[in-house]
Amino acid sequence: MKHSYRKYIENFDVNLLQCMVLGRGHNGIVYLLPDGKVIKVCFTEKSCKSEYYILNKVNGNKYFPRVYGMCGNYMIRDYVGGKSLRDYIKEYGFNRDIALKVIVLFEEFDKLKFTKRDIRCKDIFVQPDATLKVIDPKKCYSKDRDFPRHLSKGFEKLGVLDYFMEVVNEEKPKLYRRWFSKVKEYIREISEEDD
Ligand SMILES: Nc1ncnc2c1ncn2[C@@H]1O[C@H](COP(=O)(O)OP(=O)(O)O)[C@@H](O)[C@H]1O
Ligand SMILES: [Mg+2]
């Protein structure tokens, strides 16, 4: 842990009531700290530990916020600006450039030897400089998944899945062959559930 962040871990004395809430999820609440870093206060120590384990393992990777330490049910990590990919697509639409960036992100999951190679659209952020970051990695080293199930559900809802898969086919035919039937089957399953 960097020396300057020890204060947060050993003697946390920031009043969170005065900090801006950046967001809230099933596992915790994320606040902006006065120095621009963020604190995620988790509802359980277990979920804090498992998320911290992943972020610490990939620490320094450009696709993830850096973490600076954890204590009990909270961790300090870098702020990620921009919009979630879901909100970004809703506002600006989808294009080849973003599709390519998402493909490269999934290739990074392979390089990091994630056993779960999947992520939700809302957990990918498009930063102001147009690069991508994953804010909330879960079960990356514990769950087995070799195709983008969550991502394809999100893309399908946004009406961009077919275009995305077209780009995958053109650019990474091997990956397309790995994903295609699984994605198709999963989308068929969820569309039957909706009927
Ligand atoms: N590093 C971050 N920088 C900026 N906002 C963040 C960051 N991490 C989380 N958030 C915001 O807080 C929300 C909840 O955080 P998240 O880590 O997804 O919690 P949960 O594990 O409960 O789903 C996110 O949807 C996002 O809006
Ligand atoms: Mg979340």
Side-chain angles (χ1 to χ4, degrees), residues 22-30 38 40 43 51 65 77-81 122-123 125 135-136 138:
L22 291 168
R24 183 192 173 109
H26 287 302
N27 293 303
I29 306 177
V30 177
V38 314
K40 178 167 180 177
F43 301 134
E51 185 170 344
R77 57 192 194 188
D78 270 338
Y79 171 77
V80 178
K122 70 176 166 71
D123 290 334
F125 265 51
I135 57 150
D136 184 18
K138 287 196 172 79

Side-chain angles (χ1 to χ4, degrees), residues 166-178:
E166 248 174 60
V167 179
V168 177
N169 194 13
E170 282 165 28
E171 295 291 330
K172 304 279 170 186
K174 240 171 108 178
L175 193 63
Y176 181 82
R177 284 195 296 276
R178 201 167 94 199

Side-chain angles (χ1 to χ4, degrees), residues 101-147:
K101 285 178 182 163
V102 172
I103 294 169
V104 174
L105 175 65
F106 271 75
E107 288 181 327
E108 190 70 23
F109 293 167
D110 282 337
K111 286 185 196 154
L112 290 166
K113 306 226 174 330
F114 282 3
T115 51
K116 177 186 160 202
R117 281 152 287 165
D118 191 14
I119 190 78
R120 291 177 200 275
C121 286
K122 70 176 166 71
D123 290 334
I124 300 175
F125 265 51
V126 184
Q127 300 181 99
D129 68 358
T131 60
L132 305 184
K133 242 187 192 63
V134 170
I135 57 150
D136 184 18
K138 287 196 172 79
K139 299 184 177 162
C140 307
Y141 291 109
S142 52
K143 206 177 180 87
D144 267 321
R145 179 162 303 153
D146 64 354
F147 79 101

Side-chain angles (χ1 to χ4, degrees), residues 57-76:
K57 216 167 146 125
V58 303
N59 225 359
N61 185 290
K62 64 178 178 179
Y63 290 108
F64 297 84
R66 193 174 269 285
V67 280
Y68 297 95
M70 69 158 280
C71 177
N73 70 330
Y74 68 84
M75 75 179 87
I76 308 298

